[in-house]
Amino acid sequence: SIYEMFGNECCLSTGEVIKIIGFKINKLIASICENNEVSRFSPKVELPLNFPGLYKVVADKTPYTSIEEITRKVSIGPTRFGHPCFYSPEDIKLSNLTIKHGEQITFSSVEEVNGMMAVNCGVVRNNQSHSFTLPLSQEGKFYECEDDQIYTLKEIAEWKIPKCRNRIVKLSNTLHTWDSSNPLPENFNGCLILTPVYEVQAVMKFRKDIVHILSDLDVEVKDITDSYDISSFLQPLSLEDVFERTSKEFPMVAEIMEGPSGSQKPYNLLHTGKEIIIHKKYQATRVLASEIRSDSPKRHFLIPMSYKGKFKRRPREFPTAYDLEIARSEKEQLHVVATKAFDSPHKELFSVSVGDQFLVQQCQTSEILYEGRKKVIDVLACEQILSDTYKKVLLPMYMEGGFVEVIHDKKQYQLFEICKEFRLPFNVKVSVRDLSIEEDVLAAVPGLQFEEEITDCYLMISSTSSPVESWEIPVYRVNMSVHLLSRDVQTVVPPVTKTTVEEISEEQYYMVRRYENQTLHPPPRPPKKPT
């Protein structure tokens, strides 16, 4: 018989036939690292994969000796995590290209080329990408490149720990306040050596779920792959696997092997054994919003464009005159009140008192006298609002003060109107909740800042027993496994699709912002004081 404890199989009966479908890190054993070695005074602590925080990966100093070894030990895949980078200390001469020593090589996929297995690679030179393949038989020393991205522990466990190796990581952001339940020392910001503890994922002939077997289970097994018909086993697919399928393969019928966690719709409906129709895959736009509050942690949301609630504007805050220039628009004049005094060191520029009100005009240059010499600097032209008149003044762009917006616009806006008419970030509060959803989580939030529009990957699914409504399921934020059923699907117009406001964790918020912004240039810094 089979016994189960804490979601893991603890005993397998003699003669049981199982098909191994994968290995997965179940948890991590962490030790504090000093000079790339375990600290003598560091106790080992167990970290679950959902342990909070963001981490930087420290490049492994031990080289790989061939491309084949890299493909065996390092995760290479179609997602943005599965493109590891290496360099060779020696030149690599190919038929049409020479890879220079120390040049960063990005590995993107493994495939058969002219009857030989090879890795599709690329290098970037002068902002131009050059593609080539390296055969698995290619030998030499290959070292990991430094990685400046940040990751959650779960991402590191899935993509960034090579098989048969440990991984050193540096804590980048704790995201949470320390408490006594945290296994790491208070104010810790150093490096950790992570040792993975694996579990084996398997399927059995007469079970429709995925079996999880801890790697330290004391059991003897025999490889019968060559003498057994493995097609009789189910083939589990993750949502990412389903999304990789071509659009022509949709719609499809599937049965859930492992459902997602969560008590809200639709996740509470997606339980093991339920049959679903996956109508199509697509990308959809969301607005990333955060709760406006001075203390942390803030709540974060992804709001679909179909949200039917209405919003009223809330005042924005601007720490510098430079921020006023960024927020200025042609559509309406920006009216602000100073919340912090500023004493100008130059007579040509205006000194600001708390409570002064301004209408922001435009950015221009102005000549000032600085240490006996004339100097041209960027300034912000404004009109100071007096009791019965307006006074033209110039504020230095480097001015560090404080301003709060004065809102004259009392109109109620829908989400798509705000995205069309205003520049984000933009502050709002819900004035009319969305009556089409049972519980509008945004209505209870006193203030929201719309930060940016993002594009994400979704699957449209519905229940086979009740196909009158369908749901959007985010591919990269829902852990769920299915297997496809061979039944044909009647080609029907997709039913009415229900979209939900998705509340995301702080780690997910950082991930969304990181990947949305990784191709963008950082905003220019405000001008400095003249020197």
Side-chain angles (χ1 to χ4, degrees):
S1 60
I2 299 172
Y3 300 92
E4 188 171 302
M5 186 180 294
F6 307 118
N8 294 292
E9 305 303 328
C10 296
C11 181
L12 298 171
S13 58
T14 302
E16 187 76 59
V17 178
I18 61 175
K19 177 186 175 184
I20 306 299
I21 59 171
F23 298 88
K24 184 180 179 182
I25 294 176
N26 177 273
K27 58 188 175 183
L28 296 163
I29 305 299
S31 306
I32 293 176
C33 174
E34 293 177 358
N35 300 321
N36 291 341
E37 294 182 354
V38 175
S39 169
R40 289 183 300 161
F41 308 104
S42 168
K44 292 184 177 180
V45 296
E46 190 176 295
L47 298 181
L49 299 188
N50 62 355
F51 186 75
L54 296 172
Y55 305 82
K56 279 196 171 183
V57 170
V58 177
D60 194 340
K61 299 290 192 293
T62 305
Y64 295 84
T65 58
S66 68
I67 299 298
E68 187 270 339
E69 184 189 6
I70 292 176
T71 60
R72 271 192 298 109
K73 295 184 176 180
V74 179
S75 296
I76 301 172
T79 72
R80 53 203 174 198
F81 298 111
H83 296 162
C85 297
F86 296 86
Y87 69 90
S88 169
E90 307 287 339
D91 288 357
I92 302 174
K93 294 183 179 180
L94 305 173
S95 59
N96 59 345
L97 189 69
T98 296
I99 310 303
K100 299 172 184 175
H101 63 275
E103 194 167 21
Q104 179 171 300
I105 307 169
T106 301
F107 288 38
S108 56
S109 62
V110 182
E111 66 179 11
E112 189 174 322
V113 179
N114 299 326
M116 291 177 54
M117 295 304 293
V119 179
N120 290 314
C121 304
V123 294
V124 177
R125 295 173 178 171
N126 300 322
N127 296 322
Q128 289 278 323
S129 181
H130 302 270
S131 299
F132 57 94
T133 60
L134 289 175
L136 267 58
S137 58
Q138 179 83 40
E139 294 185 342
K141 288 186 177 180
F142 297 92
Y143 291 87
E144 270 190 339
C145 295
E146 294 293 338
D147 187 347
D148 60 358
Q149 290 286 355
I150 54 175
Y151 303 95
T152 63
L153 271 191
K154 185 172 183 292
E155 290 172 337
I156 290 171
E158 290 178 355
W159 292 97
K160 298 298 177 183
I161 299 185
K163 293 181 179 68
C164 307
R165 295 196 182 195
N166 297 332
R167 171 61 81 192
I168 299 176
V169 298
K170 180 171 175 56
L171 188 61
S172 175
N173 188 336
T174 59
L175 300 181
H176 290 266
T177 54
W178 186 90
D179 60 40
S180 57
S181 65
N182 192 323
L184 299 177
E186 188 172 3
N187 299 322
F188 176 74
N189 64 352
C191 291
L192 297 171
I193 295 182
L194 303 179
T195 303
V197 177
Y198 288 91
E199 68 176 32
V200 176
Q201 297 169 304
V203 290
M204 295 182 176
K205 198 164 185 179
F206 301 107
R207 291 182 60 161
K208 290 187 174 181
D209 57 346
I210 296 174
V211 178
H212 301 267
I213 307 169
L214 288 178
S215 57
D216 57 359
L217 185 68
D218 187 12
V219 61
E220 290 185 4
V221 295
K222 181 181 179 181
D223 185 357
I224 59 171
T225 305
D226 295 334
S227 58
Y228 200 86
D229 179 16
I230 61 173
S231 63
S232 60
F233 286 93
L234 301 178
Q235 178 60 48
L237 299 172
S238 67
L239 295 189
E240 290 96 327
D241 295 330
V242 175
F243 195 83
E244 290 297 320
R245 302 237 163 176
T246 63
S247 296
K248 293 179 181 178
E249 296 179 68
F250 293 87
M252 56 182 70
V253 179
E255 182 177 348
I256 297 174
M257 298 185 71
E258 277 193 335
S261 58
S263 58
Q264 292 183 324
K265 277 189 177 183
Y267 306 125
N268 61 343
L269 305 175
L270 303 175
H271 52 78
T272 300
K274 188 176 183 68
E275 292 186 5
I276 58 174
I277 301 172
I278 306 174
H279 292 276
K280 63 178 180 177
K281 67 172 188 175
Y282 55 97
Q283 292 188 313
T285 301
R286 294 288 187 269
V287 171
L288 179 62
S290 294
E291 181 181 18
I292 299 174
R293 57 187 297 173
S294 55
D295 57 339
S296 61
K298 298 178 181 179
R299 297 170 71 188
H300 306 285
F301 307 91
L302 288 173
I303 310 173
M305 286 298 181
S306 58
Y307 178 80
K308 296 181 176 61
K310 292 188 176 181
F311 301 93
K312 280 189 174 181
R313 296 173 63 174
R314 278 197 55 169
R316 291 172 287 178
E317 296 183 4
F318 307 99
T320 69
Y322 180 70
D323 294 296
L324 296 177
E325 164 59 16
I326 293 175
R328 185 175 62 85
S329 75
E330 301 298 326
K331 184 176 181 295
E332 62 176 357
Q333 198 159 37
L334 183 58
H335 178 189
V336 295
V337 177
T339 57
K340 185 178 178 182
F342 169 75
D343 189 19
S344 172
H346 311 290
K347 63 176 183 174
E348 299 90 346
L349 305 178
F350 189 68
S351 291
V352 176
S353 301
V354 174
D356 284 350
Q357 297 191 45
F358 302 94
L359 296 176
V360 178
Q361 302 292 325
Q362 63 189 31
C363 175
Q364 61 187 56
T365 57
S366 178
E367 201 174 66
I368 62 168
L369 198 62
Y370 181 73
E371 294 183 349
R373 291 177 298 154
K374 289 183 177 180
K375 199 173 184 77
V376 175
I377 66 167
D378 290 327
V379 295
L380 189 65
C382 299
E383 288 185 338
Q384 184 189 12
I385 302 175
L386 302 174
S387 57
D388 55 355
T389 186
Y390 296 92
K391 176 184 177 183
K392 293 187 180 297
V393 298
L394 300 178
L395 303 180
M397 204 69 84
Y398 64 79
M399 168 188 166
E400 291 187 7
F403 302 91
V404 173
E405 184 178 21
V406 178
I407 302 289
H408 300 282
D409 181 3
K410 305 300 181 185
K411 181 182 173 182
Q412 298 184 106
Y413 291 91
Q414 292 192 305
L415 182 62
F416 72 89
E417 293 177 310
I418 292 174
C419 295
K420 181 180 178 182
E421 296 182 26
F422 301 100
R423 184 183 298 176
L424 304 186
F426 199 74
N427 293 359
V428 297
K429 66 177 179 180
V430 175
S431 55
V432 179
R433 73 179 186 87
D434 186 343
L435 299 174
S436 68
I437 52 181
E438 293 178 13
E439 183 183 358
D440 186 349
V441 293
L442 299 182
V445 181
L448 287 166
Q449 182 174 79
F450 293 164
E451 297 185 13
E452 60 185 319
E453 291 184 48
I454 69 156
T455 303
D456 212 350
C457 300
Y458 292 87
L459 294 171
M460 180 193 291
I461 70 165
S462 65
S463 169
T464 55
S465 59
S466 176
V468 292
E469 64 179 21
S470 62
W471 299 85
E472 283 186 339
I473 302 297
V475 172
Y476 296 111
R477 287 186 299 281
V478 173
N479 289 322
M480 183 169 129
S481 296
V482 302
H483 74 93
L484 301 182
L485 302 177
S486 56
R487 296 209 310 268
D488 289 334
V489 185
Q490 296 291 331
T491 305
V492 294
V493 176
V496 174
T497 304
K498 290 204 169 188
T499 55
T500 59
V501 174
E502 185 185 354
E503 183 165 358
I504 59 175
S505 68
E506 198 151 0
E507 285 89 349
Q508 290 171 331
Y509 166 79
Y510 276 91
M511 296 307 105
V512 168
R513 296 219 70 177
R514 172 184 61 181
Y515 290 116
E516 194 67 20
N517 293 327
Q518 66 181 355
T519 58
L520 302 178
H521 297 294
R525 295 179 65 83
K528 295 181 179 180
K529 294 180 181 180
T531 55

